[in-house]
Every structure is written in structure tokens, then in C-alpha cells.
Amino acid sequence: MATAADITAMRRAITLAARGLGSTSPNPVVGCVITDAAGATAGEGFHQRAGGPHAEVHALREAGGRARGGTAYVTLEPCDHTGRTGPCAQALLEAGISRVVYAVGDPDPRAAGGGATLRQAGVGVEQGLLAEEAEEGNAAWLTSVRLGRPHVLWKYAATLDGRVAAADATSRWITSPEARADVHRLRAEADAVVVGSGTARADDPHLAVRALDGATQPLRVVVDTEATAVRPGARVLDDAAPTLVAVAEGAPAGHLPETAVLRLPRAATGPGLDVGALLTALHTRGVRSVLLEGGPTLAGAFVAAGAVDKVVGYLAPVLLGAGPAALADAGISTLSQALRLEVTETVRIGPDLRVTAVPAPARKGN
């Protein structure tokens, strides 16, 4: 049974792992805490960037000789393969660690097996401590490995009556400066930011991260089926961050930089592009997390495709009474088909409310 000290150490490891959000892709975020034989913290570390040392290595370097006979708390099963870095299971063995506690088993068959290697060498190994918390922090990478597509977070800003713009299409600004600054944090944690042609036409968005020092700029993606919304000189085509414009096969796109054009099949039903094909193409390019910032139509297409893993809504204390709703047609025609969500967090952001939710498990009778 886990002790209070075990829980404290693992929760610290989860906090450390979060520091790598936005900089480790296509690798996972991982945190590690090393305690010495007496149970005192000897070293800490987190995976900082793809290709760099893993969390365990950083923690072991800080712990030095105090690691011998100690315990390693890791948010993900120590890897058992040699890639750009050596296997962490072996590093733990060489350091003389006597016990390893990890939260989540590694679902990647190329790297899994560290737990078994450690056990065979006589190390005490325990799995599952705070697994749910660790999974939440590593949701993007885990989704990509398990489903073979990026994790999708749909973000929207709306009034309390669910409008994302007024009847005359004005939408700047529904939410506060504080909420808009928080969105830049979400961008900095994502590998790609995706919008649709409606947003591109109405706002000429830039989609780059601002006011966050050292942030890795995400890939900017515009879903522009007919190649008519993004024109030469659009802000999204500048050199602040890489850009892809997803267009239909056969759409005339000679006015766009050739390297920025991503041709995809059209959706089998309805307008637009095939959402699954888009996510597959992004995953192939190393994208493990997508921030969907598109308007109601694109959001509806993603919901209809079953491709929304998390929702973050910024709700302003404003009423409009008319104007487009946050979500357009999502293929839901009756209440029994509704996508039920489970609220995981509610936070005040300036005068606004940020609500975070994930799809709830299907209920019997639905």
C-alpha cells in the first residue's frame, strides 16, 4: 500500500512532468523524483526536450551517490530501449536504485518492458500510483500512441447564452484580456493550432504564441477546403511559425506557397475535408496534440468524427440573444445522441469562467 510519502513524491513528479508540456513532442512528458535510502528527496528531473536526457537521468544526476538504495518515483514506466538516449531502466540499475514506483505503464511496444527488466534484476517495482493524474498530464502522447492520431483539445470563447459572435458577426472581444492570455498558454502547450476557412476569412488570425518567453511555436493549420480563404499576405503565412493550409484534392492552390499546401480527400458526407485524414497527416508529421480553435462549423465536423478529446470553454458574463452558437451541426439529431461531457475543472479567469470537460463514458440507456 502506498504511503503518504509515496503519494507526495509521485504528485511532485507529476508537477515536474508538466514543465515539459509544449517542448517534448513527439516524446511524452515525464517527471521523476529520487529519494535516498532514508526517504529524503535526493534528486528531481523532467524530460525537457525531445532528444535530450529523460527525466530519470536528470534526477539521477542531481541525486548522485544518494540514489543508491533509494526509490525512484516516475510518472511513466522507465523505458527499456536505446533511441537517441539510453534505456532508463539500465540507468536506474547502475545507480543502485532499490525500488521503482511508476504511475502509468508505457503503451509503446518499442519502449515498454522497463518494469520487467527492473524486477528481473531484483528491484522492487510498483505500478499505478496516481495513474489517473499522471495520465491526464500526459494525455496528448498517450492518445497518439493508443489511437494513432493526435489528441484534440477544442477551445472556444462564448457568452453565457452560448454565442461566439453577435448577429452582425462581430466577435472581438467576447472574453477578457486575461482569458485571451490563457489561450496563448494552451497554444504553447500544443503541437498544432487548427482553424477553418470561416475564421481565416473573418479574422485573418496569426495563431502564433505571444507574450510567453521561450515558447515553442506550434504548427499553424488552416482547413481551407476550396483554397479560397487564405490569400497571399495573410498573417498566417508569415515566418513567425510553420504553416499548413489543408485543401481538397484538385482545389486550385497555385497562389499558396507549395510547401504550405496539404492536399486531403473531401469528407465522405457533407462539406469540408476528411477529419480523420487530416489528423493522420498531422500525426505523420509528428503532431501529437492539436488545439482546435476553429469556429462552429469546423468544431461540428470534429465532434461528428468523434475526434474531440477535451473541451475548454471560456464563458464571458455577457448576453447577446442572437448570433452563431459555439457548435454547429455535429451529426446529432436527438437528445439520446448527445455527446455527454464530464466537467473536470472550473476556474475564474479574470471576469470569465474557464470550464474544462472531457467526453463522459457512455451511459446505459443512451
Side-chain angles (χ1 to χ4, degrees):
M1 175 179 283
T3 66
D6 290 334
I7 293 171
T8 297
M10 184 61 79
R11 189 155 282 138
R12 174 61 179 166
I14 292 170
T15 299
L16 289 167
R19 294 184 182 179
L21 286 170
S23 62
T24 66
S25 187
N27 291 354
V29 293
V30 183
C32 177
V33 171
I34 303 289
T35 59
D36 62 19
T41 299
E44 297 183 340
F46 67 97
H47 185 38
Q48 300 175 14
R49 60 179 178 82
H54 289 187
E56 297 93 325
V57 173
H58 283 296
L60 288 170
R61 286 175 179 172
E62 185 174 293
R66 293 177 64 195
R68 186 160 299 278
T71 299
Y73 299 88
V74 196
T75 57
L76 184 69
E77 179 183 7
C79 66
D80 198 37
H81 83 303
T82 300
R84 283 185 283 183
T85 60
C88 290
Q90 189 60 40
L92 292 167
L93 288 174
E94 292 173 357
I97 288 289
S98 64
R99 177 174 174 244
V100 173
V101 181
Y102 64 89
V104 180
D106 194 330
D108 187 345
R110 297 170 299 176
T117 295
L118 290 163
R119 285 191 187 93
Q120 290 169 5
V123 175
V125 178
E126 301 163 36
Q127 175 184 347
L129 180 61
L130 301 186
E132 188 173 334
E133 291 181 32
E135 286 223 7
E136 183 178 347
N138 214 9
W141 183 80
L142 289 169
T143 297
S144 74
V145 173
R146 291 168 177 167
L147 302 183
R149 66 159 175 82
H151 179 274
V152 177
L153 187 161
W154 170 40
K155 161 264 164 187
Y156 70 94
T159 62
L160 279 184
D161 55 342
R163 307 295 176 176
V164 293
D168 66 353
T170 54
S171 61
R172 295 189 175 184
W173 295 104
I174 286 176
T175 53
S176 64
E178 293 91 339
R180 298 197 297 275
D182 196 58
V183 171
H184 283 275
R185 176 187 60 83
L186 294 182
R187 286 182 183 176
E189 293 177 357
D191 293 340
V193 178
V194 178
V195 300
S197 57
T199 299
R201 287 193 186 92
D203 300 336
D204 187 22
H206 193 224
L207 302 181
V209 178
R210 298 191 300 274
L212 287 176
D213 293 339
T216 300
Q217 291 292 347
L219 173 67
R220 301 176 292 186
V221 182
V222 180
V223 180
D224 186 9
T225 306
E226 306 301 337
T228 57
V230 180
R231 309 303 300 177
R235 298 172 70 214
V236 78
L237 294 178
D238 70 9
D239 59 1
T243 298
L244 285 177
V245 182
V247 305
E249 295 167 343
H255 58 287
L256 296 171
E258 186 177 349
T259 56
V261 175
L262 172 63
R263 293 198 175 274
L264 295 172
R266 294 178 184 271
T269 59
L273 300 177
D274 185 305
V275 170
L278 171 63
L279 292 176
T280 296
L282 293 178
H283 191 264
T284 300
R285 285 166 168 77
V287 171
R288 299 296 178 257
S289 58
V290 163
L291 176 61
L292 179 62
E293 288 198 49
T297 300
L298 189 61
F302 270 72
V303 171
V308 171
D309 302 295
K310 190 174 186 178
V311 179
V312 174
Y314 294 87
L315 303 180
V318 176
L319 299 176
L320 284 174
L327 185 65
D329 182 15
I332 299 169
S333 59
T334 183
L335 189 60
S336 64
Q337 299 173 345
L339 176 59
R340 303 279 179 177
L341 303 176
E342 191 174 276
V343 174
T344 59
E345 184 186 53
T346 57
V347 179
R348 283 285 297 271
I349 304 289
D352 306 318
L353 182 67
R354 185 185 71 203
V355 179
T356 303
V358 296
R363 297 186 302 181
K364 292 181 180 179
N366 274 14

mmCIF file of all heavy atoms in Angstrom, residues 12-59:
data_model
loop_
_atom_site.group_PDB
_atom_site.id
_atom_site.type_symbol
_atom_site.label_atom_id
_atom_site.label_comp_id
_atom_site.label_asym_id
_atom_site.label_seq_id
_atom_site.Cartn_x
_atom_site.Cartn_y
_atom_site.Cartn_z
ATOM 1 N N ARG A 12 4.649 15.211 -6.815
ATOM 2 C CA ARG A 12 5.708 16.130 -7.211
ATOM 3 C C ARG A 12 6.240 15.768 -8.591
ATOM 4 O O ARG A 12 6.501 16.641 -9.426
ATOM 5 C CB ARG A 12 6.840 16.090 -6.175
ATOM 6 C CG ARG A 12 8.084 16.895 -6.546
ATOM 7 C CD ARG A 12 7.788 18.366 -6.722
ATOM 8 N NE ARG A 12 9.002 19.107 -7.060
ATOM 9 C CZ ARG A 12 9.016 20.346 -7.529
ATOM 10 N NH1 ARG A 12 7.857 21.006 -7.721
ATOM 11 N NH2 ARG A 12 10.149 20.956 -7.813
ATOM 12 N N ALA A 13 6.377 14.483 -8.866
ATOM 13 C CA ALA A 13 6.844 14.038 -10.185
ATOM 14 C C ALA A 13 5.869 14.458 -11.277
ATOM 15 O O ALA A 13 6.271 14.864 -12.375
ATOM 16 C CB ALA A 13 7.043 12.528 -10.188
ATOM 17 N N ILE A 14 4.564 14.385 -10.985
ATOM 18 C CA ILE A 14 3.552 14.798 -11.959
ATOM 19 C C ILE A 14 3.652 16.299 -12.217
ATOM 20 O O ILE A 14 3.536 16.759 -13.364
ATOM 21 C CB ILE A 14 2.151 14.408 -11.457
ATOM 22 C CG1 ILE A 14 1.994 12.884 -11.454
ATOM 23 C CG2 ILE A 14 1.058 15.050 -12.312
ATOM 24 C CD1 ILE A 14 0.745 12.383 -10.758
ATOM 25 N N THR A 15 3.882 17.071 -11.167
ATOM 26 C CA THR A 15 4.060 18.516 -11.323
ATOM 27 C C THR A 15 5.289 18.822 -12.166
ATOM 28 O O THR A 15 5.265 19.700 -13.033
ATOM 29 C CB THR A 15 4.198 19.184 -9.943
ATOM 30 O OG1 THR A 15 3.004 18.953 -9.194
ATOM 31 C CG2 THR A 15 4.414 20.686 -10.078
ATOM 32 N N LEU A 16 6.369 18.101 -11.925
ATOM 33 C CA LEU A 16 7.583 18.298 -12.717
ATOM 34 C C LEU A 16 7.351 17.964 -14.184
ATOM 35 O O LEU A 16 7.815 18.675 -15.083
ATOM 36 C CB LEU A 16 8.707 17.416 -12.157
ATOM 37 C CG LEU A 16 9.303 17.822 -10.812
ATOM 38 C CD1 LEU A 16 10.160 16.685 -10.258
ATOM 39 C CD2 LEU A 16 10.138 19.093 -10.953
ATOM 40 N N ALA A 17 6.623 16.876 -14.448
ATOM 41 C CA ALA A 17 6.371 16.456 -15.832
ATOM 42 C C ALA A 17 5.702 17.569 -16.631
ATOM 43 O O ALA A 17 6.015 17.777 -17.811
ATOM 44 C CB ALA A 17 5.510 15.197 -15.847
ATOM 45 N N ALA A 18 4.786 18.302 -15.992
ATOM 46 C CA ALA A 18 4.037 19.351 -16.691
ATOM 47 C C ALA A 18 4.941 20.456 -17.217
ATOM 48 O O ALA A 18 4.555 21.186 -18.137
ATOM 49 C CB ALA A 18 2.973 19.933 -15.764
ATOM 50 N N ARG A 19 6.124 20.586 -16.654
ATOM 51 C CA ARG A 19 7.045 21.617 -17.142
ATOM 52 C C ARG A 19 7.503 21.352 -18.574
ATOM 53 O O ARG A 19 7.982 22.258 -19.261
ATOM 54 C CB ARG A 19 8.265 21.705 -16.233
ATOM 55 C CG ARG A 19 7.971 22.194 -14.817
ATOM 56 C CD ARG A 19 9.266 22.333 -14.026
ATOM 57 N NE ARG A 19 9.026 22.745 -12.649
ATOM 58 C CZ ARG A 19 9.993 22.911 -11.748
ATOM 59 N NH1 ARG A 19 11.255 22.682 -12.082
ATOM 60 N NH2 ARG A 19 9.693 23.296 -10.517
ATOM 61 N N GLY A 20 7.373 20.113 -19.014
ATOM 62 C CA GLY A 20 7.805 19.771 -20.364
ATOM 63 C C GLY A 20 6.737 19.953 -21.422
ATOM 64 O O GLY A 20 7.009 19.767 -22.614
ATOM 65 N N LEU A 21 5.516 20.328 -21.025
ATOM 66 C CA LEU A 21 4.443 20.490 -21.998
ATOM 67 C C LEU A 21 4.835 21.520 -23.060
ATOM 68 O O LEU A 21 5.254 22.632 -22.743
ATOM 69 C CB LEU A 21 3.147 20.930 -21.304
ATOM 70 C CG LEU A 21 2.419 19.850 -20.504
ATOM 71 C CD1 LEU A 21 1.297 20.471 -19.666
ATOM 72 C CD2 LEU A 21 1.853 18.789 -21.447
ATOM 73 N N GLY A 22 4.695 21.114 -24.314
ATOM 74 C CA GLY A 22 4.997 22.009 -25.419
ATOM 75 C C GLY A 22 6.409 21.919 -25.948
ATOM 76 O O GLY A 22 6.721 22.521 -26.978
ATOM 77 N N SER A 23 7.288 21.158 -25.273
ATOM 78 C CA SER A 23 8.685 21.109 -25.722
ATOM 79 C C SER A 23 9.235 19.704 -25.911
ATOM 80 O O SER A 23 10.370 19.549 -26.365
ATOM 81 C CB SER A 23 9.578 21.864 -24.727
ATOM 82 O OG SER A 23 9.540 21.263 -23.451
ATOM 83 N N THR A 24 8.460 18.667 -25.584
ATOM 84 C CA THR A 24 8.997 17.303 -25.677
ATOM 85 C C THR A 24 8.485 16.518 -26.874
ATOM 86 O O THR A 24 9.002 15.447 -27.165
ATOM 87 C CB THR A 24 8.656 16.500 -24.411
ATOM 88 O OG1 THR A 24 7.240 16.309 -24.335
ATOM 89 C CG2 THR A 24 9.142 17.215 -23.162
ATOM 90 N N SER A 25 7.460 17.010 -27.547
ATOM 91 C CA SER A 25 6.854 16.245 -28.638
ATOM 92 C C SER A 25 7.890 15.912 -29.707
ATOM 93 O O SER A 25 8.759 16.736 -30.004
ATOM 94 C CB SER A 25 5.713 17.051 -29.246
ATOM 95 O OG SER A 25 5.005 16.291 -30.173
ATOM 96 N N PRO A 26 7.854 14.715 -30.283
ATOM 97 C CA PRO A 26 6.818 13.679 -30.159
ATOM 98 C C PRO A 26 7.001 12.723 -28.982
ATOM 99 O O PRO A 26 6.382 11.681 -28.940
ATOM 100 C CB PRO A 26 6.936 12.928 -31.478
ATOM 101 C CG PRO A 26 8.401 13.004 -31.793
ATOM 102 C CD PRO A 26 8.847 14.363 -31.324
ATOM 103 N N ASN A 27 7.831 13.089 -28.040
ATOM 104 C CA ASN A 27 8.031 12.271 -26.847
ATOM 105 C C ASN A 27 7.007 12.632 -25.768
ATOM 106 O O ASN A 27 6.402 13.700 -25.813
ATOM 107 C CB ASN A 27 9.444 12.478 -26.287
ATOM 108 C CG ASN A 27 10.524 11.906 -27.182
ATOM 109 O OD1 ASN A 27 10.235 11.244 -28.173
ATOM 110 N ND2 ASN A 27 11.759 12.166 -26.837
ATOM 111 N N PRO A 28 6.858 11.780 -24.758
ATOM 112 C CA PRO A 28 5.940 12.090 -23.665
ATOM 113 C C PRO A 28 6.528 13.115 -22.702
ATOM 114 O O PRO A 28 7.732 13.386 -22.717
ATOM 115 C CB PRO A 28 5.764 10.735 -22.964
ATOM 116 C CG PRO A 28 7.057 10.025 -23.219
ATOM 117 C CD PRO A 28 7.467 10.438 -24.606
ATOM 118 N N VAL A 29 5.673 13.685 -21.858
ATOM 119 C CA VAL A 29 6.164 14.452 -20.718
ATOM 120 C C VAL A 29 6.318 13.475 -19.557
ATOM 121 O O VAL A 29 5.445 12.638 -19.326
ATOM 122 C CB VAL A 29 5.214 15.612 -20.338
ATOM 123 C CG1 VAL A 29 5.182 16.656 -21.429
ATOM 124 C CG2 VAL A 29 3.807 15.120 -20.041
ATOM 125 N N VAL A 30 7.436 13.553 -18.863
ATOM 126 C CA VAL A 30 7.730 12.621 -17.769
ATOM 127 C C VAL A 30 8.420 13.384 -16.652
ATOM 128 O O VAL A 30 9.285 14.230 -16.910
ATOM 129 C CB VAL A 30 8.642 11.453 -18.234
ATOM 130 C CG1 VAL A 30 8.863 10.461 -17.094
ATOM 131 C CG2 VAL A 30 8.051 10.748 -19.446
ATOM 132 N N GLY A 31 8.051 13.064 -15.410
ATOM 133 C CA GLY A 31 8.717 13.628 -14.248
ATOM 134 C C GLY A 31 9.252 12.522 -13.370
ATOM 135 O O GLY A 31 8.734 11.402 -13.374
ATOM 136 N N CYS A 32 10.301 12.816 -12.617
ATOM 137 C CA CYS A 32 10.917 11.803 -11.754
ATOM 138 C C CYS A 32 11.424 12.454 -10.470
ATOM 139 O O CYS A 32 12.014 13.544 -10.498
ATOM 140 C CB CYS A 32 12.080 11.128 -12.480
ATOM 141 S SG CYS A 32 12.983 9.892 -11.488
ATOM 142 N N VAL A 33 11.199 11.780 -9.369
ATOM 143 C CA VAL A 33 11.739 12.174 -8.067
ATOM 144 C C VAL A 33 12.512 10.989 -7.500
ATOM 145 O O VAL A 33 12.006 9.861 -7.486
ATOM 146 C CB VAL A 33 10.619 12.592 -7.089
ATOM 147 C CG1 VAL A 33 11.174 12.784 -5.677
ATOM 148 C CG2 VAL A 33 9.945 13.878 -7.566
ATOM 149 N N ILE A 34 13.740 11.232 -7.028
ATOM 150 C CA ILE A 34 14.567 10.211 -6.395
ATOM 151 C C ILE A 34 14.663 10.520 -4.903
ATOM 152 O O ILE A 34 14.994 11.647 -4.516
ATOM 153 C CB ILE A 34 15.996 10.193 -6.977
ATOM 154 C CG1 ILE A 34 15.981 9.976 -8.501
ATOM 155 C CG2 ILE A 34 16.839 9.120 -6.283
ATOM 156 C CD1 ILE A 34 15.586 8.604 -8.941
ATOM 157 N N THR A 35 14.336 9.549 -4.072
ATOM 158 C CA THR A 35 14.570 9.699 -2.638
ATOM 159 C C THR A 35 15.685 8.756 -2.214
ATOM 160 O O THR A 35 15.863 7.682 -2.799
ATOM 161 C CB THR A 35 13.301 9.392 -1.822
ATOM 162 O OG1 THR A 35 12.864 8.045 -2.089
ATOM 163 C CG2 THR A 35 12.180 10.355 -2.177
ATOM 164 N N ASP A 36 16.438 9.166 -1.207
ATOM 165 C CA ASP A 36 17.546 8.331 -0.755
ATOM 166 C C ASP A 36 17.034 7.205 0.139
ATOM 167 O O ASP A 36 15.830 7.057 0.360
ATOM 168 C CB ASP A 36 18.610 9.174 -0.054
ATOM 169 C CG ASP A 36 18.111 9.877 1.211
ATOM 170 O OD1 ASP A 36 17.066 9.450 1.758
ATOM 171 O OD2 ASP A 36 18.767 10.839 1.633
ATOM 172 N N ALA A 37 17.961 6.422 0.683
ATOM 173 C CA ALA A 37 17.583 5.249 1.478
ATOM 174 C C ALA A 37 16.797 5.630 2.725
ATOM 175 O O ALA A 37 16.027 4.816 3.261
ATOM 176 C CB ALA A 37 18.835 4.465 1.860
ATOM 177 N N ALA A 38 16.955 6.870 3.183
ATOM 178 C CA ALA A 38 16.231 7.333 4.371
ATOM 179 C C ALA A 38 14.893 7.970 4.021
ATOM 180 O O ALA A 38 14.148 8.374 4.905
ATOM 181 C CB ALA A 38 17.100 8.327 5.144
ATOM 182 N N GLY A 39 14.608 8.087 2.718
ATOM 183 C CA GLY A 39 13.338 8.660 2.285
ATOM 184 C C GLY A 39 13.355 10.138 2.008
ATOM 185 O O GLY A 39 12.314 10.729 1.671
ATOM 186 N N ALA A 40 14.512 10.772 2.091
ATOM 187 C CA ALA A 40 14.620 12.201 1.808
ATOM 188 C C ALA A 40 14.831 12.424 0.313
ATOM 189 O O ALA A 40 15.508 11.633 -0.355
ATOM 190 C CB ALA A 40 15.777 12.810 2.598
ATOM 191 N N THR A 41 14.276 13.497 -0.205
ATOM 192 C CA THR A 41 14.439 13.804 -1.633
ATOM 193 C C THR A 41 15.907 14.058 -1.953
ATOM 194 O O THR A 41 16.565 14.875 -1.315
ATOM 195 C CB THR A 41 13.607 15.037 -2.029
ATOM 196 O OG1 THR A 41 12.228 14.762 -1.776
ATOM 197 C CG2 THR A 41 13.797 15.368 -3.503
ATOM 198 N N ALA A 42 16.395 13.330 -2.949
ATOM 199 C CA ALA A 42 17.804 13.456 -3.335
ATOM 200 C C ALA A 42 17.971 14.067 -4.719
ATOM 201 O O ALA A 42 19.004 14.678 -5.015
ATOM 202 C CB ALA A 42 18.476 12.084 -3.298
ATOM 203 N N GLY A 43 16.975 13.898 -5.579
ATOM 204 C CA GLY A 43 17.087 14.436 -6.930
ATOM 205 C C GLY A 43 15.738 14.535 -7.605
ATOM 206 O O GLY A 43 14.809 13.780 -7.294
ATOM 207 N N GLU A 44 15.615 15.491 -8.505
ATOM 208 C CA GLU A 44 14.390 15.682 -9.272
ATOM 209 C C GLU A 44 14.745 15.943 -10.727
ATOM 210 O O GLU A 44 15.833 16.436 -11.030
ATOM 211 C CB GLU A 44 13.595 16.882 -8.757
ATOM 212 C CG GLU A 44 13.092 16.756 -7.341
ATOM 213 C CD GLU A 44 12.251 17.950 -6.917
ATOM 214 O OE1 GLU A 44 12.366 19.024 -7.562
ATOM 215 O OE2 GLU A 44 11.483 17.817 -5.949
ATOM 216 N N GLY A 45 13.831 15.622 -11.614
ATOM 217 C CA GLY A 45 14.068 15.909 -13.020
ATOM 218 C C GLY A 45 12.832 15.715 -13.847
ATOM 219 O O GLY A 45 11.861 15.093 -13.415
ATOM 220 N N PHE A 46 12.842 16.281 -15.051
ATOM 221 C CA PHE A 46 11.754 16.082 -16.004
ATOM 222 C C PHE A 46 12.323 16.080 -17.406
ATOM 223 O O PHE A 46 13.413 16.626 -17.651
ATOM 224 C CB PHE A 46 10.667 17.151 -15.850
ATOM 225 C CG PHE A 46 11.101 18.556 -16.236
ATOM 226 C CD1 PHE A 46 10.834 19.077 -17.496
ATOM 227 C CD2 PHE A 46 11.769 19.359 -15.317
ATOM 228 C CE1 PHE A 46 11.228 20.367 -17.842
ATOM 229 C CE2 PHE A 46 12.166 20.652 -15.642
ATOM 230 C CZ PHE A 46 11.892 21.155 -16.919
ATOM 231 N N HIS A 47 11.616 15.436 -18.312
ATOM 232 C CA HIS A 47 12.045 15.399 -19.708
ATOM 233 C C HIS A 47 11.821 16.781 -20.298
ATOM 234 O O HIS A 47 10.693 17.273 -20.335
ATOM 235 C CB HIS A 47 11.244 14.343 -20.461
ATOM 236 C CG HIS A 47 11.695 14.131 -21.873
ATOM 237 N ND1 HIS A 47 13.022 14.147 -22.253
ATOM 238 C CD2 HIS A 47 10.994 13.905 -23.012
ATOM 239 C CE1 HIS A 47 13.110 13.929 -23.556
ATOM 240 N NE2 HIS A 47 11.902 13.786 -24.040
ATOM 241 N N GLN A 48 12.898 17.423 -20.742
ATOM 242 C CA GLN A 48 12.820 18.823 -21.148
ATOM 243 C C GLN A 48 12.626 19.022 -22.638
ATOM 244 O O GLN A 48 11.979 19.982 -23.056
ATOM 245 C CB GLN A 48 14.088 19.552 -20.685
ATOM 246 C CG GLN A 48 14.267 19.516 -19.166
ATOM 247 C CD GLN A 48 15.576 20.123 -18.715
ATOM 248 O OE1 GLN A 48 16.257 20.807 -19.480
ATOM 249 N NE2 GLN A 48 15.945 19.887 -17.467
ATOM 250 N N ARG A 49 13.181 18.121 -23.449
ATOM 251 C CA ARG A 49 13.057 18.282 -24.898
ATOM 252 C C ARG A 49 13.336 16.944 -25.573
ATOM 253 O O ARG A 49 14.086 16.116 -25.054
ATOM 254 C CB ARG A 49 14.041 19.335 -25.429
ATOM 255 C CG ARG A 49 15.494 19.008 -25.151
ATOM 256 C CD ARG A 49 16.447 20.050 -25.714
ATOM 257 N NE ARG A 49 17.831 19.736 -25.384
ATOM 258 C CZ ARG A 49 18.594 18.876 -26.056
ATOM 259 N NH1 ARG A 49 18.089 18.240 -27.106
ATOM 260 N NH2 ARG A 49 19.840 18.651 -25.704
ATOM 261 N N ALA A 50 12.707 16.760 -26.725
ATOM 262 C CA ALA A 50 12.920 15.536 -27.492
ATOM 263 C C ALA A 50 14.388 15.423 -27.875
ATOM 264 O O ALA A 50 15.004 16.393 -28.329
ATOM 265 C CB ALA A 50 12.054 15.557 -28.746
ATOM 266 N N GLY A 51 14.957 14.237 -27.650
ATOM 267 C CA GLY A 51 16.362 14.016 -27.953
ATOM 268 C C GLY A 51 17.276 14.282 -26.778
ATOM 269 O O GLY A 51 18.449 13.894 -26.801
ATOM 270 N N GLY A 52 16.751 14.943 -25.741
ATOM 271 C CA GLY A 52 17.550 15.234 -24.566
ATOM 272 C C GLY A 52 17.400 14.147 -23.517
ATOM 273 O O GLY A 52 16.628 13.194 -23.676
ATOM 274 N N PRO A 53 18.136 14.269 -22.411
ATOM 275 C CA PRO A 53 18.063 13.256 -21.352
ATOM 276 C C PRO A 53 16.639 13.093 -20.830
ATOM 277 O O PRO A 53 15.870 14.060 -20.759
ATOM 278 C CB PRO A 53 18.986 13.813 -20.260
ATOM 279 C CG PRO A 53 19.912 14.743 -20.986
ATOM 280 C CD PRO A 53 19.102 15.337 -22.097
ATOM 281 N N HIS A 54 16.299 11.864 -20.447
ATOM 282 C CA HIS A 54 14.982 11.603 -19.891
ATOM 283 C C HIS A 54 14.922 12.065 -18.439
ATOM 284 O O HIS A 54 15.944 12.381 -17.815
ATOM 285 C CB HIS A 54 14.659 10.117 -20.011
ATOM 286 C CG HIS A 54 14.400 9.685 -21.419
ATOM 287 N ND1 HIS A 54 13.950 8.427 -21.755
ATOM 288 C CD2 HIS A 54 14.535 10.347 -22.605
ATOM 289 C CE1 HIS A 54 13.814 8.329 -23.071
ATOM 290 N NE2 HIS A 54 14.171 9.483 -23.601
ATOM 291 N N ALA A 55 13.716 12.076 -17.897
ATOM 292 C CA ALA A 55 13.507 12.583 -16.540
ATOM 293 C C ALA A 55 14.365 11.845 -15.522
ATOM 294 O O ALA A 55 14.954 12.458 -14.615
ATOM 295 C CB ALA A 55 12.032 12.457 -16.177
ATOM 296 N N GLU A 56 14.445 10.504 -15.661
ATOM 297 C CA GLU A 56 15.204 9.711 -14.706
ATOM 298 C C GLU A 56 16.679 10.107 -14.694
ATOM 299 O O GLU A 56 17.321 10.149 -13.634
ATOM 300 C CB GLU A 56 15.076 8.220 -15.037
ATOM 301 C CG GLU A 56 13.668 7.671 -14.925
ATOM 302 C CD GLU A 56 12.902 7.698 -16.235
ATOM 303 O OE1 GLU A 56 13.095 8.655 -17.025
ATOM 304 O OE2 GLU A 56 12.113 6.767 -16.470
ATOM 305 N N VAL A 57 17.220 10.393 -15.867
ATOM 306 C CA VAL A 57 18.640 10.752 -15.964
ATOM 307 C C VAL A 57 18.892 12.081 -15.258
ATOM 308 O O VAL A 57 19.873 12.235 -14.502
ATOM 309 C CB VAL A 57 19.081 10.805 -17.439
ATOM 310 C CG1 VAL A 57 20.508 11.339 -17.551
ATOM 311 C CG2 VAL A 57 18.971 9.420 -18.065
ATOM 312 N N HIS A 58 18.023 13.067 -15.481
ATOM 313 C CA HIS A 58 18.179 14.352 -14.796
ATOM 314 C C HIS A 58 18.130 14.168 -13.285
ATOM 315 O O HIS A 58 18.945 14.735 -12.550
ATOM 316 C CB HIS A 58 17.064 15.313 -15.227
ATOM 317 C CG HIS A 58 17.263 15.917 -16.578
ATOM 318 N ND1 HIS A 58 18.320 16.759 -16.872
ATOM 319 C CD2 HIS A 58 16.536 15.827 -17.722
ATOM 320 C CE1 HIS A 58 18.236 17.153 -18.138
ATOM 321 N NE2 HIS A 58 17.158 16.599 -18.679
ATOM 322 N N ALA A 59 17.166 13.364 -12.815
ATOM 323 C CA ALA A 59 17.013 13.158 -11.375
ATOM 324 C C ALA A 59 18.208 12.403 -10.787
ATOM 325 O O ALA A 59 18.692 12.726 -9.698
ATOM 326 C CB ALA A 59 15.710 12.405 -11.092
#
